[in-house]
């Protein structure tokens, strides 16, 4: 469910939002609703959790044990199952599958204030390590009433659910691969601390765990020198997952305003399509997302084609198209100029170099082949 929909549909509430401060006020109101108005399943109701045969790595290579000392210092409630407290969960094997199939780089941090050092040494996927990632992900989903299946593929392609994943060129860091601009955005107007205080007052154990561990955030931490603030334990991966949620919420709040002057697009949007566009905005920014949509709308006018819901569905695996365009760059330029009547927005985006959501769709197909439908969806 597109979880900002209730606010968007209220009488012109977003049209009155003129400043970042008011935007944060709207967000704070939503947080109160999420944490105080949820109805939980009575404890008397018997649940039958899916029995999982789960095994974890036992590592002897010292180069892969660098996170184990920090894990050993964490409270057991962050490292053991909280399934009895939450209704919606994906299998642990889904997170393990993502971790095994991640092929990026990893950071090691001497402290939260340190500059990360980059290596190819994947941390040992021990039980404490896997469970910390798994619990952080589900606590954020549970606290804010989200469906964990709807964000699984995004975190999978960002970091493979690895707490210390890092982009060695852009220094995007942590389980949610935050950039400097992303950090600046969610730390504006003291949003993180205000959110943390709201969560601390919540009766939901998941919200309390988030608030207790994320800690105060130094706004100077957007610098490369301090990027460990999004990686180091014990505050991460909870801090990074909370930031991911706040960034996504800000995108959802602004999406309707951003597209209000594109009626050919706006009028056919569904909650599912809005969620897909929010994925895209996480990677391209709202300005870049609108630029792509504006270009697509103009392209459709040139061939007298009225945009439909199906046209905007980004759940398309275009791996072969990406491969052809990479091997034959001249075709990209030709396609940009061509007038093609039956072109989806997903195809238009890939032609113009925006492959993020297509990558999610490809990951979804891969996961489904190996894990079935239990992990994620778009």
């Amino acid at each position: 469910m597109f979880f900002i929909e209730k606010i968007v549909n209220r009488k012109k509430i977003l049209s009155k939002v003129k400043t970042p401060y008011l935007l944060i006020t709207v967000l704070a109101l939503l947080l109160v609703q999420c944490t105080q108005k949820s109805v939980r399943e009575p404890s008397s109701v018997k649940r039958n959790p899916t029995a999982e045969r789960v095994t974890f790595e036992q590592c002897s290579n010292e180069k892969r044990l660098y996170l184990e000392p920090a894990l050993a210092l964490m409270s057991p409630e962050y490292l053991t199952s909280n399934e009895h407290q939450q209704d919606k969960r994906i299998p642990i094997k889904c997170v393990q599958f993502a971790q095994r199939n991640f092929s990026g780089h990893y950071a090691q941090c001497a402290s939260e204030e340190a500059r990360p050092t980059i290596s190819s040494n994947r941390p040992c996927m021990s039980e404490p390590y896997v469970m910390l990632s798994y619990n952080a992900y589900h606590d954020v989903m549970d606290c804010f009433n989200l469906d964990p299946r709807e964000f699984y593929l995004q975190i999978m392609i960002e970091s493979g659910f690895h707490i210390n994943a890092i982009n060695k060129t852009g220094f995007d860091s942590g389980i949610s691969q935050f950039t400097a601009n992303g950090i600046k955005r969610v730390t504006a107007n003291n949003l993180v601390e205000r959110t943390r205080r709201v969560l601390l007052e919540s009766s939901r154990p998941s919200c309390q765990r988030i608030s207790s561990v994320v800690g105060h955030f130094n706004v100077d931490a957007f610098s490369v020198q301090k990027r460990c603030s999004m990686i180091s334990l014990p505050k991460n991966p909870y801090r990074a997952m909370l930031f991911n949620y706040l960034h996504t919420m800000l995108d959802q709040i602004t999406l309707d305003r951003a597209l209000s002057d594109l009626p050919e697009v706006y009028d056919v949007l569904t909650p599912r399509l809005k969620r897909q566009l929010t994925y895209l905005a996480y990677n391209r920014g709202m300005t870049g997302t609108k630029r792509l949509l504006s270009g697509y709308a103009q392209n459709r006018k040139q061939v007298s084609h009225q945009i439909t819901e199906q046209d905007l569905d980004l759940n398309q695996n275009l791996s072969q198209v990406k491969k052809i365009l990479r091997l034959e760059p001249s075709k990209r330029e030709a396609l940009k100029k061509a007038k093609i009547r039956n072109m989806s927005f997903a195809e238009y985006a890939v032609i113009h170099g925006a492959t993020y959501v297509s990558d999610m769709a490809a990951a979804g197909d891969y996961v489904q082949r190996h894990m079935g439908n239990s992990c994620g969806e778009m």
Side-chain angles (χ1 to χ4, degrees):
M1 178 180 179
F2 191 70
F3 51 91
I4 199 69
E5 197 73 19
K6 291 182 180 178
I7 280 190
V8 170
N9 288 334
R10 290 178 184 171
K11 276 193 174 182
K12 300 182 180 179
I13 187 169
L14 293 182
S15 66
K16 298 177 182 178
V17 179
K18 301 293 185 182
T19 66
Y21 179 79
L22 289 177
L23 187 63
I24 302 307
T25 301
V26 173
L27 177 57
L29 289 173
L30 181 64
L31 288 172
V32 172
Q33 289 181 336
C34 285
T35 58
Q36 294 183 355
K37 293 188 176 181
S38 58
V39 179
R40 298 205 52 76
E41 183 179 65
S43 58
S44 59
V45 176
K46 299 294 184 181
R47 297 180 63 235
N48 295 312
T50 302
E52 289 186 77
R53 291 182 176 273
V54 181
T55 59
F56 301 91
E57 277 193 331
Q58 302 288 331
C59 301
S60 57
N61 185 346
E62 290 292 332
K63 292 183 177 180
R64 296 188 58 204
L65 295 171
Y66 51 88
L67 291 180
E68 294 302 308
L71 287 166
L73 296 175
M74 294 194 68
S75 170
E77 67 177 324
Y78 293 99
L79 308 177
T80 55
S81 175
N82 299 308
E83 184 175 11
H84 62 287
Q85 299 173 350
Q86 299 170 359
D87 301 329
K88 297 179 180 178
R89 294 175 80 86
I90 59 174
I92 295 172
K93 289 183 178 180
C94 293
V95 169
Q96 292 178 306
F97 181 82
Q99 290 178 335
R100 286 196 305 270
N101 284 279
F102 183 68
S103 59
H105 290 80
Y106 307 90
Q108 296 186 38
C109 295
S111 70
E112 183 179 341
E113 300 294 319
R115 182 188 180 102
T117 58
I118 302 174
S119 76
S120 58
N121 293 322
R122 174 186 293 173
C124 181
M125 292 182 288
S126 63
E127 182 173 357
Y129 178 76
V130 173
M131 291 306 301
L132 178 59
S133 296
Y134 184 76
N135 286 340
Y137 179 70
H138 283 93
D139 275 350
V140 170
M141 297 295 112
D142 179 74
C143 179
F144 295 103
N145 295 309
L146 309 177
D147 186 343
R149 286 172 47 79
E150 293 180 354
F151 294 89
Y152 171 81
L153 294 174
Q154 183 181 38
I155 302 300
M156 178 179 178
I157 69 167
E158 287 286 0
S159 66
F161 283 84
H162 280 288
I163 298 169
N164 61 329
I166 193 165
N167 182 315
K168 66 177 182 178
T169 54
F171 278 84
D172 306 349
S173 52
I175 196 171
S176 55
Q177 289 294 278
F178 251 81
T179 63
N181 287 337
I183 294 173
K184 290 177 184 178
R185 188 180 185 209
V186 300
T187 55
N189 298 290
N190 202 30
L191 175 60
V192 176
E193 184 60 22
R194 291 168 62 187
T195 302
R196 194 174 75 87
R197 291 171 187 166
V198 172
L199 299 187
L200 191 60
E201 296 173 359
S202 169
S203 61
R204 303 188 82 160
S206 57
C207 299
Q208 294 174 358
R209 281 191 292 270
I210 295 168
S211 183
S212 296
V213 77
V214 294
H216 178 71
F217 187 79
N218 185 346
V219 295
D220 294 331
F222 60 77
S223 65
V224 170
Q225 287 75 14
K226 295 185 178 181
R227 198 58 63 83
C228 280
S229 61
M230 301 303 297
I231 298 170
S232 64
L233 279 63
K235 295 176 181 176
N236 289 291
Y238 275 81
R239 173 186 280 169
M241 281 305 309
L242 174 63
F243 279 27
N244 171 269
Y245 167 76
L246 293 176
H247 193 283
T248 299
M249 169 119 8
L250 289 170
D251 282 339
Q252 291 184 345
I253 289 174
T254 58
L255 181 66
D256 281 72
R257 293 179 62 211
L259 301 182
S260 60
D261 59 351
L262 282 176
E264 58 270 59
V265 172
Y266 185 82
D267 291 346
V268 298
L269 289 180
T270 64
R272 178 172 173 269
L273 294 179
K274 289 180 180 181
R275 188 174 71 246
Q276 292 179 359
L277 292 177
T278 305
Y279 297 147
L280 182 59
Y282 189 79
N283 177 256
R284 305 287 292 190
M286 190 58 69
T287 300
T289 299
K290 183 176 181 179
R291 186 181 300 119
L292 281 169
L293 286 166
S294 298
Y296 180 67
Q298 184 61 35
N299 182 280
R300 298 299 81 200
K301 288 178 180 178
Q302 292 175 356
V303 295
S304 302
H305 176 76
Q306 183 174 349
I307 296 174
T308 66
E309 178 183 332
Q310 185 177 2
D311 291 330
L312 294 178
D313 189 351
L314 286 167
N315 188 16
Q316 298 182 42
N317 184 348
L318 300 175
S319 299
Q320 286 301 113
V321 175
K322 286 170 52 184
K323 182 178 180 179
I324 292 171
L325 295 178
R326 184 176 66 253
L327 296 176
E328 303 179 59
S330 60
K331 289 188 175 181
R332 184 187 301 274
E333 296 306 314
L335 287 171
K336 285 182 179 180
K337 299 175 183 177
K339 294 182 178 181
I340 304 172
R341 183 170 180 79
N342 296 318
M343 179 188 291
S344 68
F345 177 55
E347 292 167 330
Y348 179 88
V350 168
I351 290 170
H352 287 78
T355 66
Y356 185 75
V357 183
S358 175
D359 292 342
M360 286 180 62
D365 288 347
Y366 183 72
V367 172
Q368 187 175 44
R369 287 198 302 271
H370 293 272
M371 302 293 291
N373 297 318
S374 59
C375 297
E377 62 182 12
M378 288 178 59

